[in-house]
């Protein structure tokens, strides 16, 4: 129904178009347009296919952000192949994110259990092979202060951790390692990201629900406020973020394919992510005697590209 109402009416006008930038309105921020089923006779299509088969799609929070990004740092040339990675933070000293004195509790008023992210270290090692140089911060080195210090010095930053939602988008955040001094797990919150001075070409937030920040009923007329918009404001040209909770193994495969396409194959960021998804759709894994396909959108559709798709300049 979403395809019939939102996309099909404009298909006759975009037959020669390959790249699409979507600026979603309100609740549409929670939809991955790529995963819409294309049915009927559009473009002589038979059977069910996804919109990703026909278009390279990226997203922007507003037209003003489009203007900002299209004029930002036009003198940049080539791709800086140095990479900063955060993976498998150490949460062992504090298994729960406790309420901080004087601050709103995270997790929409609930304490949030943090699971170990051992697979994220494999994800980091799979990714770094595509870069000429890289730095991996893991365990107790994957701290919030460390991120604030190092991130401004890198063009590409990959953060594999837990994302934290909150009713107030300014308190949405990314978890880092346990802070011995403060005796709690560090959370980099949205309002803190606004204060950073970044020069990143790309930040990937390989975590759950980093592309959203509010309950549907709390979305304002300006759309979804949250950590992704904060990173754009702080100087990041584009982000890869997630719309829902993700599966570790398929996410690791997707990220490796994405960076291979972007760094090794020289694709634009948006096309690199699209091709990584199309590759994942064709994959499967065996669990005992069962063959589990990654073709379902649950596995490949949570991640979207927000910001400069890589061809604006």
């Amino acid at each position: 129904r979403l395809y019939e109402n939102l996309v099909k009416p404009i298909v006759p006008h975009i037959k020669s178009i390959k790249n699409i930038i979507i600026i979603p309105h309100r609740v549409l921020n929670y939809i991955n347009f790529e995963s819409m089923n294309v049915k009927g006779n559009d473009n002589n299509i038979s059977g069910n296919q996804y919109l990703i088969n026909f278009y390279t799609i990226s997203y922007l929070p507003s037209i003003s952000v489009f203007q900002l990004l299209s004029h930002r740092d036009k003198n940049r040339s080539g791709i800086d192949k140095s990479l900063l990675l955060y993976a498998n933070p150490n949460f062992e000293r504090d298994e729960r994110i406790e309420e901080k004195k004087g601050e709103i509790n995270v997790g929409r008023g609930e304490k949030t259990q943090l699971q170990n992210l051992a697979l994220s270290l494999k994800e980091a090692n799979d990714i770094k092979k595509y870069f000429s140089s890289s730095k991996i911060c893991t365990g107790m080195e994957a701290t919030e202060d460390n991120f604030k210090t190092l991130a401004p010095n890198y063009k590409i930053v990959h953060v594999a951790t837990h994302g934290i939602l909150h009713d107030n988008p300014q308190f949405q955040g990314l978890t880092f390692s346990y802070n011995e001094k403060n005796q709690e797990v560090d959370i980099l919150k949205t309002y803190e990201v606004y204060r950073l001075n970044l020069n990143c070409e790309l930040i990937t937030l390989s975590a759950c629900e980093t592309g959203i920040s509010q309950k549907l009923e709390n979305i304002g007329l300006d759309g979804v406020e949250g950590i992704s918009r904060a990173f754009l404001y702080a100087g990041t040209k584009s982000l890869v973020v997630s719309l829902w909770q993700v599966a570790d193994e398929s996410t690791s495969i997707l990220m490796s394919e994405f960076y291979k396409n972007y760094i090794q194959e020289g694709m634009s960021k948006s096309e690199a992510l699209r091709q990584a998804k199309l590759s994942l759709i064709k994959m499967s894994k065996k669990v005992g005697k069962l063959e589990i396909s990654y073709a379902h959108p649950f596995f490949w559709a949570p991640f979207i590209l927000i910001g400069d798709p890589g061809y604006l300049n």
Side-chain angles (χ1 to χ4, degrees):
R1 280 198 213 107
L2 287 171
Y3 172 77
E4 293 286 332
N5 289 313
L6 297 176
V7 179
K8 189 174 180 179
I10 67 167
V11 167
H13 306 287
I14 58 172
K15 286 183 177 179
S16 62
I17 299 296
K18 176 65 177 176
N19 299 301
I20 297 176
I21 298 175
I22 293 174
I23 301 175
H25 180 63
R26 303 192 71 170
V27 71
L28 296 183
N29 284 274
Y30 289 78
I31 295 171
N32 184 336
F33 282 67
E34 296 166 297
S35 62
M36 289 182 180
N37 260 326
V38 177
K39 300 179 180 181
N41 299 317
D42 289 346
N43 296 332
N44 298 315
I45 297 166
S46 60
N48 295 344
Q49 294 192 58
Y50 298 108
L51 204 59
I52 192 174
N53 294 106
F54 308 98
Y55 301 102
T56 301
I57 297 174
S58 60
Y59 300 81
L60 282 171
S62 68
I63 194 65
S64 59
V65 171
F66 175 85
Q67 294 171 327
L68 171 68
L69 293 175
S70 61
H71 291 90
R72 178 182 281 171
D73 300 332
K74 282 194 172 184
N75 292 326
R76 292 182 183 179
S77 59
I79 297 174
D80 187 321
K81 293 191 176 183
S82 62
L83 170 70
L84 176 64
L85 290 136
Y86 286 82
N88 197 27
N90 190 336
F91 305 126
E92 291 182 3
R93 293 291 301 277
D94 185 10
E95 293 182 350
R96 291 180 180 272
I97 302 173
E98 302 289 349
E99 181 176 3
K100 291 185 179 181
K101 185 176 180 181
E103 291 189 1
I104 306 171
N105 200 3
V106 302
R108 297 177 179 173
E110 301 174 358
K111 295 176 182 179
T112 304
Q113 184 72 41
L114 294 178
Q115 301 297 324
N116 182 275
L117 293 169
L119 205 60
S120 69
L121 191 56
K122 179 184 181 303
E123 178 181 316
N125 285 316
D126 286 343
I127 290 168
K128 74 174 186 177
K129 64 187 177 185
Y130 300 116
F131 292 82
S132 57
S133 63
S134 61
K135 177 175 178 57
I136 298 180
C137 298
T138 186
M140 293 305 291
E141 190 183 6
T143 65
E144 179 184 357
D145 286 343
N146 184 298
F147 178 86
K148 289 178 178 177
T149 300
L150 293 178
N153 301 319
Y154 284 81
K155 297 294 184 184
I156 300 176
V157 180
H158 183 96
V159 183
T161 187
H162 291 294
I164 300 295
L165 286 180
H166 196 284
D167 284 343
N168 182 341
Q170 294 304 312
F171 288 88
Q172 181 192 14
L174 299 172
T175 56
F176 288 87
S177 291
Y178 181 82
N179 188 314
E180 293 282 357
K181 181 179 179 180
N182 297 331
Q183 297 290 296
E184 63 192 355
V185 168
D186 275 340
I187 306 173
L188 176 65
K189 298 185 177 71
T190 298
Y191 70 85
E192 295 175 295
V193 175
Y194 275 110
R195 299 171 184 169
L196 299 178
N197 184 18
L198 301 173
N199 190 33
C200 298
E201 186 70 29
L202 171 70
I203 291 183
T204 298
L205 303 181
S206 183
C208 295
E209 301 172 311
T210 50
I212 59 176
S213 59
Q214 299 157 282
K215 293 180 180 179
L216 297 181
E217 60 268 26
N218 292 340
I219 300 176
L221 291 175
D222 291 331
V224 177
E225 295 283 350
I227 204 162
S228 57
R229 183 173 287 197
F231 272 113
L232 291 175
Y233 179 87
T236 304
K237 288 194 74 174
S238 53
L239 297 104
V240 172
V241 298
S242 61
L243 296 176
W244 57 75
Q245 296 198 8
V246 299
D248 286 350
E249 192 167 347
S250 56
T251 295
S252 181
I253 296 170
L254 179 71
M255 291 301 168
S256 181
E257 287 289 313
F258 167 59
Y259 285 107
K260 180 185 75 173
N261 294 338
Y262 179 42
I263 299 299
Q264 189 169 293
E265 303 299 329
M267 298 180 190
S268 68
K269 287 170 277 188
S270 54
E271 183 62 20
L273 185 58
R274 173 179 179 258
Q275 290 299 328
K277 292 176 180 180
L278 292 174
S279 295
L280 191 62
I281 287 172
K282 298 174 183 177
M283 296 182 188
S284 62
K285 70 170 183 175
K286 277 196 171 183
V287 180
K289 294 182 179 180
L290 292 176
E291 187 83 12
I292 298 178
S293 171
Y294 287 136
H296 192 283
F298 169 78
F299 296 105
W300 58 264
F303 288 100
I304 61 171
L305 183 83
I306 299 178
D308 175 21
Y311 52 78
L312 291 181
N313 295 336

